[in-house]
Amino acid sequence: MNHSMINALVSMQGLQQKLDVIGHNLSNLNTAGYKRKEATFHDVLTSVMRQQETGQLPGRLTPPGFVQGRGAKISQIQTVMEQGSLKETGLPYDLAIEGNALFELLVPAVDENGQAVQRSAWTRDGSFALTVITGDPDNVYLTSKDGYPVMSEDGEPIRIPAGYKLRIDADGTVSAYLEADPEGSAVEAGRLRLVQIVRPQLLSEWGNNLYMLQAGADPDAAIRPLDWNAENPDTAGIAVRQGFLEQSNVDLTSEMTELLTTQRAFQMNARALASADTLMQLTNNLRG
């Protein structure tokens, strides 16, 4: 196999992966809290082919040698955590975060020994609901649409008395009240636990817009719980908005432009592969 075929084949494999990433972004254009993926490339192998000094003819400006590559492949697919636009829904259980933070949920998982455990997961999708959990008929719990409890700063699920309404302030403070007496019946139910991502590369997608720690990753190196202390500069610009949902941060125009560019690059490499195959066929025919 000649160098042209190797170069084209390797590049086409990477471009196909990028097309898959773009397709995944476009399919989640209207998914609340979705964060787009971005693929980056690097050279597989680059070498300089040396030529004889006799090739340095009078008037030649380029040095006697040429760079020969082996194509490019995807080096990483990273999640872009930029905030999407906020859309008002008016629903009391829809929450959105302004700024760099994520909600923390408690999800069922399986450990390395095959035992069922509960682990923390994080999301920007705030389409929550109040759910009755078996064994506790006196309370209702704030959960995700899949039924995973939303956690508070004290490490307990957010819960309010059954029959009460929910109110959440900009600093994440949760309170419950009776609709007939919103002031006199107010009951504080804790504060939402929000975390900030320190190293996104230590998180992995768990599905349904959830992120979990990679196996063996240090939690302190990957995330940082948000401290709502008024003197903490990390809380600047962060607020919880009740009755809003964060939209996907996928930009349709940019993704379509990237899609066309990637398709053109794929077609060019496909033609290069076909041309190399044609030349090899002609060579074999000449030998025959």
Side-chain angles (χ1 to χ4, degrees), residues 13-286:
Q13 290 174 339
L15 290 168
Q16 181 61 61
Q17 287 181 277
K18 184 169 183 178
L19 288 172
D20 294 339
V21 171
I22 295 173
H24 190 263
N25 288 339
L26 291 174
S27 65
N28 287 278
L29 181 64
N30 296 318
T31 301
Y34 175 79
K35 298 305 173 187
R36 66 183 178 90
K37 309 298 184 295
E38 193 173 78
T40 55
F41 287 81
H42 74 276
D43 292 337
V44 175
L45 176 65
T46 300
S47 59
V48 178
M49 303 295 293
R50 298 185 60 84
Q51 294 173 314
Q52 298 294 328
E53 293 296 332
T54 55
Q56 187 69 27
L57 301 176
R60 177 173 177 171
L61 300 180
T62 57
F66 63 93
V67 177
Q68 186 175 48
R70 298 295 189 277
K73 71 174 184 178
I74 289 182
S75 56
Q76 64 175 343
I77 299 175
Q78 57 186 358
T79 303
V80 180
M81 300 301 293
E82 294 176 354
Q83 179 177 330
S85 60
L86 301 188
K87 179 181 179 181
E88 186 174 5
T89 64
L91 300 177
Y93 311 131
D94 284 346
L95 304 179
I97 301 176
E98 286 184 355
N100 173 28
L102 293 92
F103 300 107
E104 182 170 308
L105 309 178
L106 193 65
V107 301
V110 178
D111 62 13
E112 57 276 6
N113 298 320
Q115 300 296 321
V117 295
Q118 298 285 325
R119 288 185 177 174
S120 296
W122 302 277
T123 184
R124 293 278 297 194
D125 183 1
S127 51
F128 298 146
L130 289 181
T131 304
V132 177
I133 294 182
T134 304
D136 190 3
D138 297 328
N139 297 292
V140 288
Y141 291 74
L142 185 65
T143 67
S144 69
K145 56 187 176 183
D146 297 311
Y148 304 137
V150 181
M151 303 304 291
S152 65
E153 283 186 332
D154 59 5
E156 296 293 330
I158 295 289
R159 63 185 177 187
I160 63 173
Y164 277 63
K165 301 293 184 179
L166 187 70
R167 180 168 57 225
I168 299 178
D169 298 330
D171 63 353
T173 300
V174 181
S175 56
Y177 65 93
L178 290 173
E179 191 169 6
D181 185 16
E183 297 300 330
S185 61
V187 177
E188 190 167 324
R191 178 181 283 175
L192 293 172
R193 178 178 172 88
L194 303 182
V195 301
Q196 293 180 310
I197 297 179
V198 180
R199 294 183 179 177
Q201 63 271 25
L202 296 181
L203 299 180
S204 60
E205 288 192 47
W206 197 68
N208 296 327
N209 258 349
L210 296 177
Y211 302 93
M212 294 184 70
L213 283 175
Q214 293 183 0
D218 181 10
D220 296 332
I223 61 167
R224 178 176 58 243
L226 185 65
D227 182 6
W228 284 101
N229 189 324
E231 300 179 356
N232 183 7
D234 292 336
T235 60
I238 296 180
V240 178
R241 300 300 181 195
Q242 187 175 14
F244 288 81
L245 276 181
E246 181 183 0
Q247 302 303 293
S248 165
N249 67 352
V250 176
D251 181 70
L252 180 59
T253 303
S254 299
E255 293 297 324
M256 290 301 296
T257 302
E258 195 71 18
L259 176 62
L260 292 174
T261 302
T262 306
Q263 285 179 328
R264 294 293 182 269
F266 188 90
Q267 290 173 354
M268 183 188 69
N269 282 276
R271 289 175 181 174
L273 184 62
S275 298
D277 182 66
T278 301
L279 290 174
M280 291 181 67
Q281 184 177 0
L282 290 173
T283 302
N284 289 332
N285 290 337
L286 290 173

